[in-house]
Amino acid sequence: MALQLVSSTSTTMKMALIGFVVLILLVPLTMLRGMVQERAGLREQAFQKVAAAGAGSLLMGGPILVVPTERTIVEASGSKLYRENLFILPQTLNTDID
């Protein structure tokens, strides 16, 4: 003898069962929605941190003329040779940046 739970179910009973299943499935859906919103907020914070770190002041440098120089200083103990570099910068620098 086969076990038959519901021989003839009414349409109302079927709709009530479907509604119950839908309500039960809404619980994990709301949990996932909260997680998605949290992750979106974390993503936005990461974007802001990266944008803040990369957007600093810009330092531009121009051409520098380096002239090597030598000086000989004569002292009582002997002469010494000093080598230095003379850095010459432009007085004004006009640049266009794209």
Side-chain angles (χ1 to χ4, degrees):
M1 178 172 172
L3 180 63
Q4 203 173 18
L5 293 177
V6 179
S7 60
S8 65
T9 57
S10 67
T11 306
T12 308
M13 184 64 122
K14 288 179 184 178
M15 286 176 29
L17 185 62
I18 290 173
F20 179 71
V21 170
V22 167
L23 288 176
I24 294 229
L25 291 177
L26 282 177
V27 172
L29 183 64
T30 56
M31 291 170 60
L32 285 175
R33 183 174 295 154
M35 185 181 296
V36 167
Q37 288 176 350
E38 179 185 357
R39 298 276 172 93
L42 291 175
R43 183 189 68 176
E44 190 63 34
Q45 286 178 0
F47 280 151
Q48 289 175 358
K49 284 182 182 179
V50 169
S57 61
L58 180 65
L59 177 64
M60 287 287 301
I64 299 175
L65 180 62
V66 180
V67 179
T69 59
E70 291 183 357
R71 283 190 303 178
T72 304
I73 298 179
V74 179
E75 297 176 348
S77 62
S79 64
K80 291 186 179 179
L81 180 64
Y82 289 99
R83 293 186 176 148
E84 296 176 343
N85 290 327
L86 178 64
F87 299 101
I88 302 173
L89 302 170
Q91 198 163 26
T92 59
L93 181 63
N94 297 326
T95 59
D96 291 326
I97 299 174
D98 291 329

